[in-house]
Amino acid sequence: MSVSYPTPHINAKPEDFAKTVLMPGDPLRAKFIADNYLTDAKLINNVRNIQGYTGYYNGVKVSVMASGMGIPSMGIYSYELYKFFGVENIIRIGSAGSLNKNVKILDIVFAMGVSTDSNYSHNFDLNGTFAPMADYYLLTTAVDIAKNNDLKFHVGNVLSSDMFYNNLPFDNWQKMGVLAVEMETASLYMNAANLGKRALALYTVSDSIVTGETTTSEQRRTVFTDMLKLALDTAVKLDRLETR
């Protein structure tokens, strides 16, 4: 397939990206990671202020680029990265609202599976309901690192919703054991499945639907350091395993 660069949303070339891209929703969080965790970081995309950087973490080439907000936005950026830029692994690093009394503020949640109220799966012309799942290899690698660092985490199903201001209660999702709610992962996991790539989403709990506790936007951008380091360490381990 012949591709001309830039694409409509990414002003870069395939060689500008690492094989693994970390994707926060917030462009300023992407900049924070590049400034504070990567060495020799270079800005490789800034179309629509969706900032993307590539640098090195512990000697391994890693990219970080924002996805924007919502399933459609993540759908655009993850598709272009997978399809046109040679990216093999995307790790979403974001925030989520807890739907479970045992999932506390600043705990880490791994999305093993994703439920959704979105119609995104209709794009794939499936005669049924598709169940988007994390890549097992990525998931187990990240979980092992979390265990070794004594992080408090939960693994399970999350709700990826089209709506932030939702008029419907979450009671029935809670009854079905859904751990948390967020707004991007469904399209990421579906694109990865459709294109034969790997995806994983992990979140720091920023607020609780159960207790009403919350964090500030500044905290969400700068203090979720356990999650950020976990994702970076996963990218490094993945690179070393794949290059043996």
Side-chain angles (χ1 to χ4, degrees):
M1 178 180 181
S2 176
V3 180
S4 60
Y5 298 99
T7 61
H9 307 95
I10 301 175
N11 185 14
K13 295 181 179 179
E15 58 266 29
D16 294 328
F17 283 96
K19 293 299 182 184
T20 299
V21 177
L22 275 58
M23 294 200 80
D26 184 352
L28 291 180
R29 193 180 300 163
K31 184 178 188 303
F32 175 84
I33 296 166
D35 289 346
N36 291 277
Y37 290 89
L38 301 184
T39 58
D40 299 323
K42 295 181 180 178
L43 181 69
I44 57 173
N45 183 65
N46 200 25
V47 177
R48 296 173 179 250
N49 290 321
I50 294 294
Q51 297 172 17
Y53 300 85
T54 294
Y56 292 85
Y57 180 76
N58 289 348
V60 172
K61 186 178 180 181
V62 178
S63 297
V64 54
M65 192 175 88
S67 69
M69 292 179 65
I71 289 169
S73 187
M74 172 61 89
I76 289 170
Y77 290 106
S78 61
Y79 183 87
E80 289 193 8
L81 289 174
Y82 283 143
K83 184 74 173 179
F84 305 126
F85 291 93
V87 171
E88 295 295 328
N89 316 291
I90 294 178
I91 303 175
R92 163 157 159 67
I93 44 175
S95 57
S98 171
L99 297 178
N100 185 298
K101 66 180 181 180
N102 296 317
V103 179
K104 308 293 186 182
I105 294 287
L106 301 184
D107 285 1
I108 293 171
V109 173
F110 294 93
M112 181 168 61
V114 184
S115 300
T116 187
D117 55 21
S118 170
N119 285 327
Y120 194 86
S121 65
H122 289 193
N123 181 56
F124 305 106
D125 196 25
L126 299 167
N127 185 23
T129 301
F130 181 70
M133 303 292 290
D135 177 78
Y136 180 77
Y137 183 57
L138 268 180
L139 176 62
T140 53
T141 298
V143 167
D144 285 346
I145 293 170
K147 288 179 180 177
N148 291 336
N149 287 278
D150 295 322
L151 300 180
K152 187 173 181 184
F153 66 90
H154 312 265
V155 182
N157 201 350
V158 303
L159 171 61
S160 195
S161 179
D162 272 340
M163 294 167 285
F164 185 85
Y165 296 106
N166 194 335
N167 290 324
L168 299 175
F170 290 105
D171 299 21
N172 290 333
W173 294 109
Q174 291 169 313
K175 289 177 183 177
M176 296 299 288
V178 173
L179 297 177
V181 58
E182 58 86 64
M183 297 186 67
E184 285 79 32
T185 303
S187 57
L188 171 61
Y189 281 15
M190 290 185 205
N191 283 346
N194 183 51
L195 297 171
K197 304 288 186 169
R198 290 183 173 135
L200 174 66
L202 53 148
Y203 328 94
T204 299
V205 175
S206 59
D207 56 279
S208 173
I209 310 302
V210 179
T211 67
E213 295 174 277
T214 190
T215 55
T216 66
S217 59
E218 182 66 15
Q219 286 175 313
R220 289 192 289 274
R221 185 160 53 244
T222 61
V223 306
F224 293 176
T225 53
D226 285 344
M227 173 185 65
L228 302 183
K229 190 172 185 306
L230 171 58
L232 288 163
D233 287 342
T234 300
V236 168
K237 189 170 182 180
L238 184 66
D239 179 82
R240 290 172 179 169
L241 289 171
E242 290 183 334
T243 55
R244 283 181 179 175

